Amino acid sequence: MFSLPKNATIIEVGPRDGLQNEGKLVKTEDKLQFIAALQQAGIQEMELTSFVSPKWVPQMADAKEIVAQTKKVGRQFVLTPNERGINAALESGAQSLAVFVGVSNTFNKKNINKTTEESMEALKPLIINLKKQDVFVRACISTAFYCPFEGAVSQEATLALCRQFVEWGVDELSVADTIGMANPKESYELFANLVEAFPDVLITAHFHDTRRMALANISAALQAGVTRFDASAGGLGGCPFAPGATGNVATEDVVNMLHRMDVQTGIDLDMLCQAIEKIEPHVTNPVTTGMYTLYKNQA
Ligand code: HMG
Ligand code: MG
């Protein structure tokens, strides 16, 4: 039987993953208006920005202002790659942090200039310390299925990395198909194993939509018991250090699919499209996702 939960949670990653790869610098005030409109649409969990090196990701250079000027609604994440980022994020008032590591060494080196092992060694004391301070920690696991440089990634390697994070006390694992290559069978198998292995941790699926399989992968992850999905309004985004990766699955298309199956998200689809209208003039490419296109044609 096709089993579905009554509710699912969307973690909106548009202001972070959606914009980090945008070549044209978006003004802080335009990002803030986008974030406010997303909140009005009912988004309760959001990645706001990243405290990363502005030399590596110039678009995120205004992280401090973004955190300071965003109204506190629900759970708001900022990405932090290292101790410096963690300290800056906490000083700016961030209460929930996301750390990120690639299962694949080559990708991790290109993304954070460390091998996976070096990253994990550095993160261990930092995470243990954050949990002593009762900070919510989300661990983002990149290249959980495929790596743009190394190819297929074994499920065992992904599960082993996740297990380390769980042992250090993280609250959430956001497990990512960074280059949008996984298929629904792989999605079901990995997420079923994650849900079974880590029952006390929030398990979130993060799909990029490069090969247009993200909605099918979400449907498979739902069957595996996942109820939390990262998504980016307008399908914006991608990782600048993952060649060929396009944007995340579009929030409006995920919300539509879930609502059509009577899985509630608390998000108003029209208001979500209004939020996309706010950011669309400031990004390079027009938004062509299914539900946003329908919304524009109706208007
Ligand atoms: P590095 O060059 O090895 O570090 O970069 P460093 O310690 O030598 O520092 C280099 C410069 O950056 C120095 O400045 C530091 O002070 C500064 P300089 O002396 O040259 O003027 N610096 C910082 N500045 C601000 N905030 C900091 C910070 N740390 C150092 N936190 C580093 C290492 C990690 C900094 C760099 O590689 C970096 O910033 N990487 C970020 C990459 C990134 O943001 N990737 C995208 C996010 S992950 C993602 O999208 C995947 C995800 O969506 C899931 C999925 O889809 O797979 C989550
Ligand atoms: Mg991503």
Side-chain angles (χ1 to χ4, degrees):
M1 184 159 128
F2 200 78
S3 66
L4 288 166
K6 286 201 163 49
N7 300 292
T9 303
I10 297 291
I11 300 90
E12 172 60 47
V13 300
R16 194 280 303 171
D17 204 333
L19 294 182
Q20 70 183 10
N21 208 20
E22 171 55 46
K24 198 169 86 179
L25 276 187
V26 181
K27 285 189 199 139
T28 306
E29 65 194 69
D30 295 328
K31 293 179 187 173
L32 289 167
Q33 281 195 13
F34 177 43
I35 292 170
L38 289 166
Q39 291 177 329
Q40 278 158 19
I43 297 284
Q44 284 290 321
E45 298 202 33
M46 189 167 357
E47 282 185 356
L48 295 181
T49 183
S50 313
F51 285 79
V52 294
S53 165
K55 285 187 184 150
W56 284 61
V57 188
Q59 189 69 257
M60 298 286 112
D62 56 359
K64 205 171 147 190
E65 292 80 8
I66 293 289
V67 173
Q69 291 174 49
T70 295
K71 187 171 154 200
K72 302 281 170 281
V73 173
R75 194 179 280 137
Q76 299 174 337
F77 296 102
V78 299
L79 258 67
T80 53
N82 54 15
E83 187 168 14
R84 176 165 166 184
I86 289 173
N87 290 341
L90 293 176
E91 275 160 29
S92 75
Q95 287 163 349
S96 302
L97 303 191
V99 296
F100 52 103
V101 171
V103 185
S104 134
N105 245 335
T106 314
F107 171 76
N108 202 61
K109 189 94 185 141
K110 301 226 185 245
N111 199 33
I112 12 190
N113 205 18
K114 279 187 163 58
T115 63
T116 303
E117 204 180 322
E118 286 165 352
S119 272
M120 293 301 275
E121 249 171 56
L123 282 174
K124 181 178 177 181
L126 298 171
I127 291 174
I128 291 172
N129 192 32
L130 285 170
K131 287 317 302 168
K132 280 191 192 141
Q133 300 173 59
D134 217 20
V135 174
F136 188 104
V137 180
R138 156 173 159 108
C140 301
I141 316 295
S142 287
T143 57
F145 296 89
Y146 289 91
C147 165
F149 311 102
E150 294 182 17
V153 169
S154 81
Q155 206 185 107
E156 289 68 33
T158 298
L159 285 163
L161 199 76
C162 290
R163 182 161 290 108
Q164 283 185 274
F165 278 117
V166 173
E167 281 169 10
W168 303 338
V170 301
D171 301 277
E172 178 184 13
L173 294 165
S174 168
V175 178
D177 181 21
T178 310
I179 53 170
M181 199 163 172
N183 65 51
K185 181 173 178 285
E186 291 165 322
S187 167
Y188 181 85
E189 286 173 359
L190 179 60
F191 280 106
N193 283 333
L194 285 163
V195 167
E196 196 191 351
F198 309 118
D200 301 326
V201 173
L202 297 175
I203 305 288
T204 302
H206 178 113
F207 285 107
H208 284 263
D209 204 16
T210 317
R211 290 170 183 75
R212 299 290 178 260
M213 284 200 279
L215 283 180
N217 286 333
I218 287 176
S219 174
L222 269 168
Q223 290 301 293
V226 175
T227 59
R228 294 173 59 81
F229 301 98
D230 290 352
S232 170
L236 304 175
C239 176
F241 308 102
T246 60
N248 291 86
V249 65
T251 313
E252 60 277 20
D253 291 348
V254 180
V255 168
N256 174 60
M257 180 180 85
L258 292 171
H259 288 185
R260 300 276 304 168
M261 296 193 292
D262 287 329
V263 179
Q264 299 313 317
T265 65
I267 296 167
D268 183 300
L269 203 44
D270 274 348
M271 290 177 81
L272 183 59
C273 289
Q274 287 162 21
I276 299 166
E277 274 181 322
K278 293 227 180 287
I279 200 69
E280 192 183 18
H282 307 297
V283 296
T284 309
N285 296 315
V287 177
T288 56
T289 61
M291 291 316 292
Y292 186 65
T293 304
L294 276 177
Y295 167 83
K296 291 289 268 191
N297 289 343
Q298 276 161 19

